[in-house]
Amino acid sequence: MRTRDTNKELAVRDKALKMIVKEGFDGLSMQKLAREAGVSPATIYIYFKNREDLLHKLFADVQDKFSDVALKGFDPAMSLEDGLWLQWKNRLNFILKYPVHFSFHEQFGHSPLVNHKSVKLAVFKENMRNFVAKAMKEGEIKKMEPEIFWSMVYGPFYALVKFHLNKKNFTGKKFEITEAKMRQAFNMVMKALKG
C-alpha cells in the first residue's frame, strides 16, 4: 500500500479547488487534476475515492475554515451590534484571505452534489442561533424569519463584497471595499433592524 504524503494531498486539494472554481465540477477530470498537481492519477485515489468524494471533502474543508474564521473572537452573548459587526469583519477577512474558497462555496453552497454536514459548521450555526435568539429575547430586534434576518443583515454585506471582488460597481466604476464604506452600510442595516 502506498503511503500518504501530506504535501501531495494539499497540492491536490489546492489545484482541485482552483480548477473547480475556474471550470466547474464538470471540467474536473482526475487525469487533468493529477497533471496540474504534479502527481500520478493513482496518487489521487490514495486520498479520495472518486470525484464526488473529493468534492465533499473540499466542501467540508471550506466550511470548517469559514467556521473557524467567522467565530474568531465571537461570543453569542455579545450585543447585537458588536456581534454583527464582528461577523462582517470576520467574514470579510475570510473572503479576502481565501477568495478561491469563497468562490468555491458560492458555486456549491446550495448544491445537492455536496454533503452539507460539518461538525464545525453545526457549531457555527448553533452560535448564530443563540446569538439571534438572545437579541430577540432582549428586545434588540423584533422576531423575524431567519431568511429575512439573513437577507437584511448579510445581503448588503455580500453585495459590497461582490463589487469589491469584481473591482467595479454596477456602473463599471472602480470599487474597493473600505472599513468606512462597510461601516456606512452596516449602520444602515442596524437602523433598519432596530426600526
Side-chain angles (χ1 to χ4, degrees):
M1 174 155 202
R2 295 176 67 180
T3 58
R4 298 173 75 90
D5 180 331
T6 305
N7 291 331
K8 285 182 182 178
E9 183 179 1
L10 290 174
V12 169
R13 286 175 184 261
D14 180 60
K15 291 297 181 186
L17 269 174
K18 289 175 180 168
M19 287 175 68
I20 291 169
V21 165
K22 186 177 178 188
E23 302 171 32
F25 188 57
D26 290 338
L28 177 72
S29 77
M30 297 307 231
Q31 291 284 337
K32 193 172 170 183
L33 175 58
R35 211 172 25 256
E36 288 288 320
V39 299
S40 75
T43 300
I44 294 174
Y45 293 102
I46 294 172
Y47 311 108
F48 309 102
K49 293 177 204 161
N50 51 39
R51 283 179 353 130
E52 289 75 16
D53 182 49
L54 170 65
L55 183 64
H56 289 296
K57 287 179 178 170
L58 289 174
F59 195 77
D61 287 349
V62 168
Q63 286 184 319
D64 288 351
K65 196 172 298 264
F66 168 77
S67 297
D68 288 344
V69 174
L71 288 177
K72 187 173 183 180
F74 181 80
D75 183 336
M78 295 174 99
S79 72
L80 179 71
E81 189 164 344
D82 290 344
L84 289 180
W85 179 242
L86 183 60
Q87 278 300 298
W88 277 40
K89 290 192 308 185
N90 285 353
R91 289 167 191 240
L92 181 63
N93 286 338
F94 171 78
I95 293 163
L96 297 179
K97 188 172 181 179
Y98 305 105
V100 173
H101 292 67
F102 173 69
S103 295
F104 177 83
H105 193 273
E106 288 288 290
Q107 281 179 291
F108 293 98
H110 300 287
S111 172
L113 292 174
V114 294
N115 179 344
H116 293 270
K117 293 177 183 170
S118 155
V119 172
K120 286 187 179 182
L121 189 64
V123 169
F124 169 78
K125 286 181 176 181
E126 184 64 23
N127 271 276
M128 291 299 107
R129 257 192 302 277
N130 291 340
F131 172 67
V132 174
K134 179 200 89 54
M136 287 181 186
K137 183 180 175 189
E138 293 180 359
E140 289 184 277
I141 53 172
K142 296 176 184 172
K143 287 193 179 219
M144 63 183 82
E145 296 293 319
E147 299 80 9
I148 293 170
F149 176 82
W150 191 96
S151 298
M152 288 183 66
V153 170
Y154 297 112
F157 168 77
Y158 284 107
L160 286 173
V161 164
K162 287 181 181 177
F163 288 137
H164 178 80
L165 294 175
N166 290 330
K167 297 183 175 29
K168 60 184 176 184
N169 66 17
F170 56 87
T171 65
K173 285 177 134 180
K174 184 180 175 188
F175 182 85
E176 186 176 324
I177 202 166
T178 63
E179 187 162 337
K181 289 174 187 173
M182 202 163 78
R183 181 53 92 167
Q184 182 182 8
F186 179 79
N187 288 344
M188 293 169 78
V189 166
M190 288 308 299
K191 247 186 216 176
L193 279 175
K194 291 177 177 181

